[in-house]
Each structure stands twice: as structure tokens, then as C-alpha cells.
Amino acid sequence: MKKLLLPTLIYCICSGVNATGFKTLSDSELATVDGQALLNFSKDAYSYTTASSEKVNFFKLGLEAEMELNTNIKSLQLGCGGVNGPNGCDIDISNLALSGLPTSYDSDGNPVFANDRASTSAKITNPFVEFAIKNSDKASTREIVGFRLGAQEILGLLTTGISNTVAPTDGIQSFSGYMKIADTSGSTNTAAAKFGKGNNATDLSQQISGVLDIAIFGEHGFTSKPNAAETTGITVPQLNNVKFNVPGFTVSGNRQTKASATNIMVTIPVIPLAKGTAADNANYEVYNGLNTTQFDNDQLLVDIIPCVGIGSLCLVETSKFKMGEGSKLTNLNMNVTFDQLLSMVHNVPLTGSGGYLALQQLALHWPGADAADVAQRGWWMSFADPVQLGKLNVAGAVDISAVLPQVATNITTSLMQEDMKIPIDLGDSIKALSKTPIVKTLEINVGPWTQANPSRLTLSNQVLKNQNVPSNCYGGLKFC
């Protein structure tokens, strides 16, 4: 039986070959035939000239295929110590997971999987390994100066860390590379604050000035006294759902620990400074549900300077002042800088973007990379297309007290205008004499002054609603 097996196989193979009608082709005929190989080795037509005028060529071995991958990496640490310094790593990411994209997103923008995330896989199209070789034309001086692992397309969800909290100890602790963040939008609530009151006896940063138009006796200046005991301040209530747009920005460089988005322009149409009128309640959403009793104890103590004449107001040097019903600040423009620890960015959806992980001993611009994506010495991670982080909705209420001194300057500018003089009648003068607060309704439009010179605010390390981390494990484990 064994003796018959080999002749039978040979007969079957030969019969199969004859049946297909194979034909011998010449070299010229072969050159006209198109086909696709599983492995593709090529020398890139692009070359890079180093700072020292040395030429670098690139040789790529690619796999023409689609691969599926679901993986968890407890700790990815590359380039620790080395050329970029003894302290830290070029790339240090803990609790890293790669899976398929989510089925949908919840109302806050968090990824949702119809089944277990662990049952999905990222799709990696045309993976490759590439070498950068200096002086490739001369065998005696040929040198490999870098290599990279990459893919033409990556479709999946990359997550880092396990918990969406303030200052997490896992996730992206250090990042060396190039990652563009796409334009997006967001919203936040602002915490309530007190305006016009100093933090100590010498703090005059929120002092405001203006002009009083006293009946019969003419104009007199006034200046608030932020550090006086009688000054309790003006309440700036919590504002909900303040919307903003974030222009695209780039995280790039060695051992980066944070991302910075600058020039985020925010306009707050109205900030109540007292209980609203019926028209305010109807026209401005901010008044809905507003706690009006929080304004009850608000007042400023102001100096009347100079006061010359025989009017009753001129018999006092100071007076108390309260905002009347319907008082408001309008059209406040702000320029916001958003600084965020990379360890607080957990969800990075890759929706077809190419990417690579490279190691090089000198700065290299790899083929096909953005002009600004010059990989620096050491390890380097890069993504080709902008990453869509989704809406950046802040979970808590942000503190805007740093803006208030700038607002005070803009209010003073506004109150010094001809049409913003505060009229004072006899009844107001009598109130001043009797130490009773003068009550005036003011609508202070700071738009003309903050349009060209917006108030500046820096927000740091805000917990974002859309960065909850979905587990990539079975059985309810956070990481496996």
C-alpha cells in the first residue's frame, strides 16, 4: 500500500497540471502580468537628508492583508532612560487596551458595546515593518538608523487606564510622538463666585470705578472698596451648559505629559447680577431655576470722589450700593486655554487612521508622515489622521474666579462711557445719608471691550464626561 502512494500522488499532480493548461511565459510576457503578493518588499522613492547632509533611504516589508486584534497590555514602557535622559520613559502607558469600535455612544459620549467589548477586534490593514538606512549605496558605510512598525489603516478603540478620575496614576504617563486632535466642541458649568470683594486687606484687583450724575450738582466719580468690611460682594451665580468650540491641536514632542488646547473662544451672553425681571426669565435660559435669594446680602461700599458742593450726597464720603432687579453683565468674551493631563484622556477612537511606532537614533521624517511629524531620537508613536475625541463636556463646575479681576477692568471701562453714567436723585442722596444702600439696575455690556481683548482663563485637568473606560474583559473585571 505504501509503495503505491508516491506514484499515485505524482500522477495526480501531473494530471492536475495538464488540466489547467499552464503555459510557459517569457520575461517580457511576465512583465505585463499584474498580481498581488502576500509579502511586498520595496525601497521607497522618498529619501530624507539629515541635519548633517547624510542621505537616508527607506526599505519596507509589507503584509498585504487585513488582521484582527484584541489585546490588553498591562504596562507598555519604551525608551526608559537612554538618549532622552535617565529619568522617565519615552513611552509609558499602563492598562492599554485595543479592541473593535463601539456599537454606539451614550448621551455623554462614552463608548457603548452591544455585547462584551472583549468579543470585538480591531482591524489592522496592510501592516508593515520599515527600516531607515543611511548610506545605503555603500556597503562599507551602510548603517540602520531607525525602524518602525506600522499599518496603513487601523480601525478600533484604543483605551488607556481604567478609571475616569482626577490625576489617575495609570494611563498615559509619558508620550513621545505626534497626535493630532480634531476640532470638537463641549460644554461646562461654572461655579458660583463673589465679584468685587478682595481676598485680603490689600487686594484691590476687583475694584471698579464709574461716574455718578447727581441731580443739580453734576458729575462725581466713584470707586468701590473691595477690602472694606461693608463690601460683601456681588454674586455671580452658577452658569449651566456654557458651550465652547475647541479648534484642532497637536500633541507632539518627547516625553509629553499633557495636552494643551489654546484660543478656545467662549461668549457668555448674560450673567445675572440680581434677580431677573419677567422679561429676563422669558428670554434667557440662565434665569430658569435661578436661586434669587443668593443675591439678598450683596452690596459694595464705594467712595464718592471728588465731592464738591452742597448736595446731600456730598455730605458723605462713602455710600453702600446694591444691584437692582434685572441687573446683568452681558456679552463677556473669554479666551480659554485647556490644559489636560494625558493620563486623563482614556478613549482614543481610531477610525481608519494609519499609525506607526518607531525607534530612531536621529531625527527622521518617515515616508508619508505629516510635514510636522519629524520623529525625534528614541521611541516615537504617531497617528496619521486627526483623532476624534468627541464632545469635551466637563463633569464638574469650573472655577472662573481668575477672570473676575479682568472683568472688573472691563466693567470700569464700560461705566466710564457717556451713556453709562449712573443717575442719582434726591431719594438716593437721602439713602446715602442714612447709610441705606442705593439700589440701581445696571446692564453692563462688556462686549465692545472683550471682543478685541477677551478675558483669559486657563482650565486644568478637568474630568470629562465622555472618558469613562469600557472594560475589555469578560466577567466584569476592569483589566485582565
Side-chain angles (χ1 to χ4, degrees):
M1 183 70 179
K2 293 181 180 178
K3 294 180 180 179
L4 294 174
L5 183 59
L6 182 58
T8 303
L9 282 172
I10 294 173
Y11 174 78
C12 291
I13 293 172
C14 292
S15 299
V17 170
N18 291 334
T20 58
F22 282 169
K23 178 183 177 183
T24 302
L25 299 178
S26 66
D27 288 344
S28 59
E29 290 172 323
L30 281 171
T32 63
V33 176
D34 292 328
Q36 181 173 337
L38 178 61
L39 295 175
N40 183 12
F41 184 76
S42 63
K43 175 184 178 182
D44 202 290
Y46 164 82
S47 62
Y48 179 72
T49 303
T50 68
S52 57
S53 300
E54 296 172 299
K55 187 176 180 181
V56 177
N57 292 108
F58 300 92
F59 297 84
K60 179 188 289 185
L61 177 61
L63 183 64
E64 302 292 321
E66 289 183 354
M67 299 178 62
E68 292 188 347
L69 178 66
N70 181 296
T71 186
N72 292 332
I73 301 174
K74 182 64 178 177
S75 180
L76 177 65
Q77 292 183 316
L78 301 170
C80 299
V83 298
N84 291 318
N87 299 318
C89 304
D90 295 345
I91 294 174
D92 185 357
I93 307 174
S94 55
N95 298 326
L96 176 71
L98 178 64
S99 70
L101 285 169
T103 310
S104 61
Y105 293 87
D106 66 17
S107 58
D108 289 325
N110 292 296
V112 175
F113 290 84
N115 299 308
D116 286 316
R117 180 187 175 192
S119 65
T120 68
S121 295
K123 185 170 72 173
I124 300 173
T125 302
N126 297 345
F128 62 83
V129 59
E130 188 167 16
F131 296 91
I133 301 179
K134 185 172 67 176
N135 302 320
S136 61
D137 298 333
K138 298 180 181 179
S140 60
T141 58
R142 186 179 299 148
E143 179 183 2
I144 296 178
V145 293
F147 84 94
R148 68 170 177 165
L149 303 171
Q152 181 180 329
E153 291 183 357
I154 305 173
L155 195 66
L157 177 65
L158 183 70
T159 60
T160 64
I162 58 175
S163 297
N164 187 23
T165 59
V166 177
T169 56
D170 62 355
I172 304 175
Q173 299 298 308
S174 178
F175 174 81
S176 296
Y178 181 84
M179 180 168 59
K180 294 182 293 185
I181 307 299
D183 295 357
T184 186
S185 60
S187 66
T188 185
N189 298 338
T190 65
K194 280 288 187 179
F195 171 73
K197 184 173 177 61
N199 294 316
N200 53 58
T202 60
D203 181 14
L204 301 177
S205 62
Q206 296 184 37
Q207 187 176 71
I208 62 173
S209 299
V211 178
L212 301 176
D213 188 4
I214 304 174
I216 303 175
F217 301 102
E219 298 175 2
H220 297 284
F222 73 88
T223 301
S224 68
K225 304 183 70 172
N227 48 9
E230 294 92 334
T231 293
T232 59
I234 303 297
T235 296
V236 178
Q238 176 174 314
L239 304 176
N240 296 325
N241 199 29
V242 177
K243 299 183 184 300
F244 54 83
N245 293 315
V246 182
F249 61 97
T250 301
V251 181
S252 181
N254 277 326
R255 300 188 178 181
Q256 299 293 299
T257 59
K258 70 176 184 178
S260 293
T262 59
N263 296 321
I264 301 173
M265 303 308 300
V266 179
T267 298
I268 302 180
V270 61
I271 300 176
L273 300 178
K275 180 173 66 174
T277 64
D280 292 328
N281 298 333
N283 295 326
Y284 296 109
E285 182 181 353
V286 68
Y287 285 93
N288 294 334
L290 187 67
N291 173 19
T292 58
T293 60
Q294 63 188 315
F295 303 105
D296 289 351
N297 297 320
D298 290 357
Q299 70 178 20
L300 300 177
L301 186 70
V302 298
D303 279 331
I304 313 298
I305 47 176
C307 195
V308 179
I310 59 173
S312 57
L313 192 62
C314 295
L315 298 178
V316 295
E317 294 181 350
T318 61
S319 177
K320 298 175 183 177
F321 175 82
K322 287 180 68 71
M323 291 288 184
E325 180 179 330
S327 293
K328 61 181 74 71
L329 184 75
T330 59
N331 301 317
L332 174 63
N333 297 292
M334 295 192 296
N335 186 318
V336 179
T337 296
F338 190 72
D339 288 336
Q340 189 79 346
L341 286 172
L342 290 175
S343 59
M344 298 180 71
V345 178
H346 303 292
N347 297 321
V348 182
L350 305 174
T351 55
S353 170
Y356 69 84
L357 177 65
L359 173 65
Q360 48 277 313
Q361 70 178 46
L362 48 82
L364 288 177
H365 182 240
W366 290 94
D370 280 4
D373 181 12
V374 178
Q376 301 301 303
R377 295 181 70 192
W379 286 91
W380 191 263
M381 182 182 289
S382 174
F383 300 96
D385 297 331
V387 174
Q388 302 281 349
L389 290 183
K391 291 187 179 298
L392 303 182
N393 297 326
V394 178
V398 303
D399 180 9
I400 62 169
S401 58
V403 172
L404 298 183
Q406 302 167 64
V407 172
T409 299
N410 290 312
I411 288 178
T412 294
T413 301
S414 182
L415 292 179
M416 287 295 186
Q417 303 305 305
E418 184 68 25
D419 59 347
M420 287 300 293
K421 295 174 184 176
I422 301 174
I424 300 295
D425 57 23
L426 180 59
D428 296 324
S429 299
I430 294 173
K431 287 180 180 179
L433 281 172
S434 63
K435 305 298 183 181
T436 302
I438 297 174
V439 180
K440 290 292 179 182
T441 296
L442 300 179
E443 182 173 339
I444 307 169
N445 180 11
V446 295
W449 330 117
T450 60
Q451 187 69 42
N453 186 29
S455 298
R456 295 187 175 272
L457 176 67
T458 297
L459 301 180
S460 298
N461 305 328
Q462 303 293 320
V463 175
L464 302 175
K465 293 181 180 180
N466 69 340
Q467 293 299 306
N468 291 334
V469 188
S471 171
N472 194 32
C473 304
Y474 292 108
L477 296 175
K478 286 189 174 182
F479 199 83
C480 54

